[in-house]
Amino acid sequence: MARPIVALLTDFGTRDHYAGTMKGVVLGLAPDASLVDITHDVPPHDVLTASLELAASYKYFPPGTIFLVVVDPGVGSARRGLVAEVGDYRFVAPDNGVLTAVFHDHKPKRVVELTERRYARPTVSKTFEGRDRFAPAAAWLARGTEPTAMGRPVTTWQTIDLPEPQVESSQIRGEVVLVDRFGNLVSNIDRRTFDQFRHEGAVRIAVDGHSVERLVATYAEAPAGSVCALFGSSEHLELAVNGGSAAEVLHLGRGAAVRIDRG
Amino acid sequence: MARPIVALLTDFGTRDHYAGTMKGVVLGLAPDASLVDITHDVPPHDVLTASLELAASYKYFPPGTIFLVVVDPGVGSARRGLVAEVGDYRFVAPDNGVLTAVFHDHKPKRVVELTERRYARPTVSKTFEGRDRFAPAAAWLARGTEPTAMGRPVTTWQTIDLPEPQVESSQIRGEVVLVDRFGNLVSNIDRRTFDQFRHEGAVRIAVDGHSVERLVATYAEAPAGSVCALFGSSEHLELAVNGGSAAEVLHLGRGAAVRIDRG
Amino acid sequence: MARPIVALLTDFGTRDHYAGTMKGVVLGLAPDASLVDITHDVPPHDVLTASLELAASYKYFPPGTIFLVVVDPGVGSARRGLVAEVGDYRFVAPDNGVLTAVFHDHKPKRVVELTERRYARPTVSKTFEGRDRFAPAAAWLARGTEPTAMGRPVTTWQTIDLPEPQVESSQIRGEVVLVDRFGNLVSNIDRRTFDQFRHEGAVRIAVDGHSVERLVATYAEAPAGSVCALFGSSEHLELAVNGGSAAEVLHLGRGAAVRIDRG
């Protein structure tokens, strides 16, 4: 049988021991687990970014993968811990909306509140539930424990507002929601929304008032150094610079307005 | 049988190939090893930070874990290489005091100097003993080699001064020893020392002369943006800001004075 | 049988999900693969740095290791994807010269162009072939697929200019090609070239016109804070500061001139 995969997404960074310590806890309970980092560099407490990064990546993992998601500004408070089943995947996370974008993709089959203390460490720190509650829960899932053994099913949970594009008859009003390492400005306008709006007619694309001349299929199609638009790997419209950083060239970041107009 | 775990803690960063190269060496000798990064982002040559991060994390790994610790400003010099057995854990490290905080927790059962050349690579670089001496030693341990086969037991080793809090009748004088990714200012005042001093009486907490109003159980109990004190996941007093960075708000870092007064 | 090793070297960084997503794809096809990060922090699109880091590290991995190398400014364009066999290693990479330094070490036994679509994901993004083409190819190799099944052998490929030192009768003219995390300035002058030039006579070393007083065997041999020269772990001459950063002390970086003169 294949080793269970536990994929981690946190805001713990890699400078401190926190992510490594969680892995030690997982391996203590599930020695055969295969641990994969999605990222630990979500900006501190940035639940929205975590949610979007998770939604962009989870479906490329094999069925059965367990996602251990710890971006948890409410650590130690009364906010709940959850296990969610979505398709063939399971997610362990605080109940703070970090799973919103995944649930937006696919309705969860079941969501369970983590209440059974035997699946946590004997002492649970009020500042590091990732170590003492969420990592053990993921490890028990990896060992084959059913989510329903770990607590009671719930039917409501926290959600966050995902920035959705506003589609009007003559315009799509979107915004930049992620800036990646290359300085690509990734918007919330997905390809389907764009294609339905365009109907094969001509459109004009602008970011923060700057007109974008080219809609291309990939970076290399644009002249070096020029700003272009394209659909990136998550099928969302992004602004990019071939061989450079659109964020630096345009001095723009998250929240910048992206407009699609007919024309 | 469970795969042996080799957990790495270095100051090699993740930008260069150094940490990856060490892993290649480990897997060449111990193909079944499960490799876990604690961190590679210890500040360059910062033996104290490495020692504290290691002490905060090692006990959360399963028994049998081998720690490969390479923060080594004296690489290539006459300083020795060590294997230490502490409880059910083993540590491979240069003899420069990096294990001091672990040994402070638990007296080592045995410390061996790495002298047997057969457990190193045939050629040992004078600038990268992590690759040529320490990684192979960790791998041989993972294969089941006994530490005593790798050299002679020693009874003395280098130590570093761990900043200990000064406890007086009317005051604890501590300091910030770590600043984590969230900007939490972690002091050297542990919960037991604090509790013994307090005797359930009232105390006042100050950092660098700034009075800290609240002692809370977790971040979320403090008003957003306000500075609070709490015991973090390693049971040391830390200064924090709910939803922010205490380091930024207070403009403080390592070495800042932390005072507990009766009051 | 030992688990196949897939070692990753990319410029994807660790902030975004890209590297993690590639790992998910590999594990979906090759669940037993052991994944090792060499680095993901190659400067964006920096094919030369990637090539040098790869050449410095690959030979420390065990025979059979598969290297998944994705630094790919031409993603989505007509540039080809390659599998190369070098000694007992295999490399999956875009055909943009990133393997030049490895091939400079060892002539490849065989190079195959990745043309068989069945070894890619059904839909290949034009902006993330790492996920959709290169990761699957590496995974299929890990499963035992022969490179020749994945496309047709080719006899030419892209190369990049590796900065080679110029050796004249009275001088070696080299340059800094890498700056590591410690601020060491690594040049392109290897030990053999240096030794042949020196013939045991005296030489003078200078970087950007600054005379370097000491040639040492390791950092700790130089007085603290002073600039020294030594042969680092890849057997290339580097400028270093014991306990500090040569890059900071000298305000120098890649491209700085390194001169060896008789005298």
Side-chain angles (χ1 to χ4, degrees):
Chain A
M1 201 185 78
R3 295 183 296 146
I5 299 172
V6 178
L8 294 89
L9 189 152
T10 80
D11 64 350
F12 287 143
T14 53
R15 199 185 70 184
D16 309 308
H17 66 86
Y18 304 136
T21 294
M22 289 208 314
K23 293 181 187 178
V25 170
V26 172
L27 291 175
L29 289 165
D32 289 332
S34 183
L35 300 169
V36 180
D37 298 311
I38 301 177
T39 180
H40 298 290
D41 292 333
V42 170
H45 306 150
D46 188 339
V47 174
L48 173 59
T49 293
S51 193
L52 296 174
E53 292 284 347
L54 183 63
S57 56
Y58 81 95
K59 60 180 78 89
Y60 296 97
F61 283 77
T65 298
I66 297 153
F67 295 89
L68 174 52
V69 182
V70 189
V71 176
D72 192 15
V75 60
S77 71
R79 70 95 194 82
R80 307 178 300 181
L82 301 178
V83 180
E85 297 178 79
V86 180
D88 291 321
Y89 302 113
R90 282 163 295 169
F91 297 82
V92 176
D95 181 21
N96 61 12
V98 72
L99 300 180
T100 304
V102 170
F103 291 175
H104 188 263
D105 256 18
H106 283 97
K107 192 167 176 297
K109 291 194 295 194
R110 186 160 45 194
V111 180
V112 168
E113 180 183 354
L114 290 171
T115 51
E116 286 297 317
R117 284 300 299 270
R118 87 190 79 169
Y119 299 110
R121 285 176 47 83
T123 305
V124 175
S125 164
K126 286 210 166 244
T127 64
F128 196 4
E129 293 187 73
R131 178 188 70 195
D132 297 336
R133 188 188 299 277
F134 299 124
W140 282 103
L141 292 174
R143 287 172 70 124
T145 303
E146 284 298 317
T148 45
M150 303 171 80
R152 61 184 183 85
V154 294
T155 54
T156 60
W157 43 81
Q158 296 294 316
T159 58
I160 55 174
D161 286 335
L162 299 178
E164 296 283 350
Q166 305 303 311
V167 184
E168 300 168 6
S169 60
S170 65
Q171 190 179 56
I172 302 177
R173 302 162 71 89
E175 67 183 273
V176 172
V177 291
L178 285 174
V179 181
D180 76 8
R181 191 209 187 195
F182 299 93
N184 298 316
L185 301 164
V186 183
S187 82
N188 57 348
I189 302 171
D190 60 284
R191 194 194 286 268
R192 180 180 302 187
T193 300
F194 181 89
D195 284 349
Q196 287 176 346
F197 174 83
R198 184 165 62 166
H199 279 308
E200 303 185 0
V203 294
R204 287 173 289 122
I205 300 172
V207 55
D208 191 48
H210 300 269
S211 181
V212 178
E213 298 299 321
R214 282 175 191 79
L215 177 64
V216 296
T218 190
Y219 312 107
E221 291 182 9
S226 75
V227 178
C228 61
L230 52 78
F231 286 92
S233 58
S234 67
E235 297 294 329
H236 284 78
L237 190 74
E238 67 184 47
L239 294 313
V241 166
N242 180 15
S245 160
E248 286 182 15
V249 167
L250 295 169
H251 298 286
L252 292 176
R254 205 157 87 175
V258 178
R259 298 284 179 272
I260 317 291
D261 286 282
R262 299 195 192 285
Chain B
M1 202 185 76
R3 294 182 297 146
I5 299 172
V6 177
L8 294 89
L9 189 152
T10 79
D11 65 350
F12 287 143
T14 53
R15 199 185 69 185
D16 309 308
H17 67 86
Y18 304 136
T21 294
M22 290 208 314
K23 294 181 187 178
V25 170
V26 172
L27 290 174
L29 289 164
D32 289 331
S34 183
L35 299 169
V36 180
D37 298 311
I38 300 177
T39 180
H40 298 291
D41 292 333
V42 169
H45 305 150
D46 187 339
V47 173
L48 173 59
T49 293
S51 194
L52 295 174
E53 292 284 347
L54 183 62
S57 56
Y58 81 95
K59 59 180 79 89
Y60 296 97
F61 283 78
T65 298
I66 297 153
F67 295 89
L68 174 52
V69 182
V70 189
V71 176
D72 192 14
V75 60
S77 71
R79 70 95 193 81
R80 306 177 301 181
L82 301 179
V83 180
E85 297 177 77
V86 180
D88 291 323
Y89 302 113
R90 283 163 294 169
F91 298 80
V92 177
D95 181 21
N96 61 12
V98 72
L99 300 180
T100 303
V102 170
F103 291 176
H104 187 263
D105 257 18
H106 283 97
K107 192 167 175 297
K109 292 194 294 195
R110 187 160 45 196
V111 180
V112 168
E113 180 183 353
L114 291 171
T115 51
E116 286 297 317
R117 284 300 299 270
R118 88 190 78 167
Y119 299 109
R121 284 176 47 84
T123 304
V124 175
S125 163
K126 286 208 165 246
T127 64
F128 196 4
E129 292 186 75
R131 179 189 69 194
D132 296 337
R133 187 188 298 278
F134 299 124
W140 282 103
L141 292 173
R143 287 173 70 124
T145 303
E146 284 298 318
T148 46
M150 303 170 81
R152 61 183 182 84
V154 294
T155 54
T156 60
W157 43 80
Q158 296 294 315
T159 57
I160 55 174
D161 287 334
L162 299 179
E164 296 284 350
Q166 305 303 310
V167 183
E168 300 168 6
S169 59
S170 64
Q171 190 179 54
I172 302 177
R173 302 163 71 87
E175 67 184 274
V176 172
V177 292
L178 285 174
V179 182
D180 75 9
R181 192 209 187 194
F182 299 93
N184 298 315
L185 302 164
V186 183
S187 82
N188 57 348
I189 302 172
D190 60 285
R191 194 193 287 267
R192 180 180 301 188
T193 300
F194 182 87
D195 284 348
Q196 286 175 348
F197 174 82
R198 184 165 60 165
H199 280 308
E200 303 185 0
V203 295
R204 287 174 288 123
I205 300 171
V207 55
D208 192 47
H210 300 269
S211 182
V212 178
E213 298 298 320
R214 283 176 190 80
L215 178 64
V216 295
T218 191
Y219 312 107
E221 292 182 7
S226 74
V227 178
C228 61
L230 51 79
F231 287 93
S233 59
S234 68
E235 297 294 330
H236 283 78
L237 191 75
E238 66 184 50
L239 295 313
V241 166
N242 181 14
S245 160
E248 285 182 16
V249 167
L250 296 168
H251 297 288
L252 292 176
R254 206 157 86 175
V258 178
R259 298 284 180 271
I260 317 291
D261 286 283
R262 299 195 192 286
Chain C
M1 202 185 77
R3 295 182 297 147
I5 298 171
V6 177
L8 294 88
L9 189 152
T10 80
D11 64 351
F12 288 142
T14 53
R15 199 183 71 184
D16 308 309
H17 67 86
Y18 304 136
T21 294
M22 289 208 317
K23 293 181 187 179
V25 170
V26 172
L27 291 174
L29 289 164
D32 289 331
S34 183
L35 300 169
V36 180
D37 297 312
I38 301 176
T39 180
H40 298 292
D41 292 334
V42 169
H45 305 150
D46 187 340
V47 173
L48 173 59
T49 293
S51 193
L52 296 174
E53 293 283 346
L54 183 63
S57 56
Y58 81 95
K59 59 178 80 89
Y60 296 97
F61 283 77
T65 298
I66 297 153
F67 295 89
L68 173 53
V69 182
V70 188
V71 177
D72 192 15
V75 59
S77 71
R79 70 94 193 84
R80 306 178 301 180
L82 301 179
V83 180
E85 298 178 76
V86 179
D88 291 322
Y89 302 112
R90 282 162 296 169
F91 298 81
V92 177
D95 182 20
N96 61 12
V98 73
L99 300 179
T100 304
V102 169
F103 291 176
H104 188 263
D105 257 19
H106 283 97
K107 192 168 176 296
K109 292 194 294 194
R110 186 160 45 194
V111 180
V112 168
E113 179 183 355
L114 290 170
T115 51
E116 286 297 317
R117 285 300 300 270
R118 87 190 80 169
Y119 300 109
R121 285 175 47 82
T123 305
V124 175
S125 162
K126 287 209 166 246
T127 64
F128 196 3
E129 292 187 74
R131 178 188 70 194
D132 296 337
R133 186 187 299 278
F134 299 124
W140 282 103
L141 291 173
R143 288 172 70 125
T145 302
E146 284 298 317
T148 45
M150 303 170 80
R152 61 184 181 85
V154 294
T155 54
T156 61
W157 43 81
Q158 295 296 315
T159 58
I160 55 174
D161 286 334
L162 299 178
E164 296 284 349
Q166 304 303 311
V167 184
E168 300 168 5
S169 59
S170 63
Q171 190 178 56
I172 303 177
R173 303 162 71 89
E175 67 183 273
V176 172
V177 290
L178 285 174
V179 182
D180 75 10
R181 192 210 186 194
F182 299 92
N184 298 316
L185 301 164
V186 183
S187 82
N188 58 348
I189 302 171
D190 61 285
R191 194 193 287 268
R192 181 180 301 187
T193 300
F194 181 88
D195 285 348
Q196 287 176 347
F197 174 82
R198 184 165 62 164
H199 278 309
E200 304 185 359
V203 295
R204 288 174 287 123
I205 300 172
V207 55
D208 192 46
H210 300 269
S211 182
V212 178
E213 297 299 320
R214 283 174 190 80
L215 178 63
V216 297
T218 190
Y219 311 108
E221 291 183 9
S226 75
V227 177
C228 61
L230 51 79
F231 286 93
S233 58
S234 69
E235 298 292 328
H236 283 78
L237 191 74
E238 67 184 48
L239 294 314
V241 165
N242 180 15
S245 161
E248 286 182 15
V249 167
L250 296 168
H251 298 286
L252 292 175
R254 206 157 87 173
V258 179
R259 298 285 180 270
I260 316 292
D261 286 282
R262 298 195 192 284

